[in-house]
Amino acid sequence: EYYFTSQLQTEYHPDAESDRWTDFIESSVENLNDRHKIMEFVGYTLETWHHNREKNLFIVGPSQSGKSTFADTIQELFGVAPTVTNLTPQQLADTQFDAASLKEAMINAVNDINASKIENSGALKRILSGERMKMERKHQDAHFDEPTAKHMYTANWLPRVVGQDE
């Protein structure tokens, strides 16, 4: 009836509670304000029709701190490709064809991104903010679209960015 272009295979239970999830978040994220931020981001990932807030999540911390467990759990909400992609910031910024995979994606999530340099910070910023951009696949005509996928990365260190601004 509404012609949705994608849907989640997750069943919605409005009164559901999860003590296990709450305990995990409280034990992994000490600061209450930070817990609220990451949970707000989870809600934002479900707003798949826009990228108005231009928010993306980089979870940085030591090994064995729960980063990947958190990201894997959120990723499970979305299922598999094409609703989920797993492209590093380096792949999105510095390769010609990878961004086209974001066309149908709701979330792009990668655990343990490396700290290698991101050369084209401008391209990455356009992708992360959902700006209209050229998307092309090998041996196919290019097209322009606005990627609405939200991006979530975990790392021990942030990657170096060429041309980094504030």
Side-chain angles (χ1 to χ4, degrees):
E1 180 180 347
Y2 294 103
Y3 302 106
F4 289 110
T5 58
S6 58
Q7 70 178 24
L8 300 178
Q9 298 301 315
T10 304
E11 208 171 304
Y12 176 61
H13 298 283
D15 299 323
E17 293 183 22
S18 176
D19 294 334
R20 186 175 175 193
W21 176 250
T22 302
D23 291 345
F24 167 72
I25 294 297
E26 288 175 355
S27 68
S28 300
V29 183
E30 294 177 11
N31 183 293
L32 179 63
N33 189 41
D34 290 343
R35 286 196 299 263
H36 288 164
K37 285 179 188 176
I38 65 169
M39 296 312 296
E40 182 178 358
F41 179 79
V42 172
Y44 176 51
T45 63
L46 298 172
E47 295 179 6
T48 59
W49 55 91
H50 71 81
H51 213 306
N52 294 349
R53 291 182 183 84
E54 297 186 17
K55 300 291 182 190
N56 302 280
L57 185 63
F58 285 79
I59 304 172
V60 181
S63 297
Q64 303 297 312
S65 60
K67 302 181 305 287
S68 294
T69 301
F70 174 82
D72 290 344
T73 302
I74 303 313
Q75 205 173 168
E76 281 293 315
L77 292 172
F78 293 92
V80 296
T83 55
V84 175
T85 56
N86 306 102
L87 299 165
T88 67
Q90 294 87 342
Q91 289 172 306
L92 291 173
D94 299 331
T95 62
Q96 181 177 355
F97 300 112
D98 286 333
S101 299
L102 298 174
K103 174 137 177 65
E104 297 177 33
M106 295 177 178
I107 191 163
N108 179 53
V110 181
N111 289 332
D112 299 316
I113 60 171
N114 64 46
S116 65
K117 185 169 36 176
I118 296 172
E119 295 287 344
N120 191 345
S121 63
L124 182 62
K125 287 165 62 172
R126 285 189 300 279
I127 291 168
L128 294 181
S129 66
E131 287 183 27
R132 187 167 177 78
M133 58 178 285
K134 182 179 178 182
M135 294 184 166
E136 53 187 324
R137 294 186 187 275
K138 259 185 179 176
H139 311 297
Q140 294 182 12
D141 291 338
H143 66 280
F144 287 84
D145 211 337
E146 295 175 8
T148 56
K150 309 313 185 291
H151 301 267
M152 179 174 55
Y153 302 106
T154 70
N156 296 108
W157 300 275
L158 284 174
R160 294 172 291 137
V161 180
V162 173
Q164 188 173 1
D165 58 24
E166 71 277 353

